[in-house]
Amino acid sequence: MSTPNAVTAIPAAQSETALAHFRAAMQFETDCSDVSSALASGAPGFVLLDVRSPALYAQGHVPGALNLPHGKIVESKLVDYPADTLFVTYCAGPHCNGATRGAIRFAQLGRPVKVMIGGITGWLDEGFALATGVAAHRSETAQPG
């Protein structure tokens, strides 16, 4: 029998509880690899939003992402998107809560949303390249729905 430590002091959840928890987590988040694969398909089924400042977006962003800083997520910016459009937000990385702030704004507006965990840091860790430059017009980078 092992000596209790910070990992083992609290037993793991029962399997059915763990399954419910982890399935629920997937309703709120996605990862860089899955986003990359979906974007590469040409029909991702979501709009990817970089919620950092325009200056940080211009320095490097996920190719195909639109820039909409989390503080500017308001209904008037979303009128061209059907109400069921899924938005995926990301920010700098695990040390940044901008993606969560953006997701809160979408949820407050009654819009479907997930967070891309890892953000830019995770994207680079996965070996994916960044695009640079200013935000392209919406019609050039993403279509509603």
Side-chain angles (χ1 to χ4, degrees):
M1 195 135 177
S2 65
T3 305
N5 58 49
V7 175
T8 62
I10 298 172
Q14 295 292 319
S15 293
E16 66 184 40
T17 303
L19 181 60
H21 169 82
F22 294 120
R23 279 189 174 155
M26 297 300 286
Q27 295 176 28
F28 303 103
E29 61 188 39
T30 187
D31 67 17
C32 299
S33 181
D34 289 345
V35 167
S36 177
S37 292
L39 291 172
S41 77
F46 58 85
V47 175
L48 183 62
L49 291 179
D50 184 318
V51 299
R52 302 172 303 146
S53 71
L56 290 174
Y57 176 90
Q59 289 175 11
H61 56 272
V62 174
L66 300 177
N67 182 226
L68 182 58
H70 62 79
K72 296 187 180 212
I73 298 171
V74 294
E75 189 61 44
S76 63
K77 302 270 186 180
L78 308 176
V79 295
D80 292 335
Y81 295 98
D84 63 348
T85 301
L86 173 61
F87 292 90
V88 175
T89 62
Y90 74 87
C91 59
H95 58 284
C96 176
N97 66 9
T100 301
R101 289 175 183 270
I104 289 169
R105 301 285 294 245
F106 278 104
Q108 288 172 328
L109 294 171
R111 298 295 194 121
V113 64
K114 289 187 177 191
V115 169
M116 182 180 83
I117 58 173
I120 291 291
T121 301
W123 189 262
L124 293 171
D125 285 350
E126 292 284 335
F128 303 127
L130 296 177
T132 57
V134 296
H137 295 290
R138 184 178 145 263
S139 62
E140 296 174 26
T141 57
Q143 298 296 318

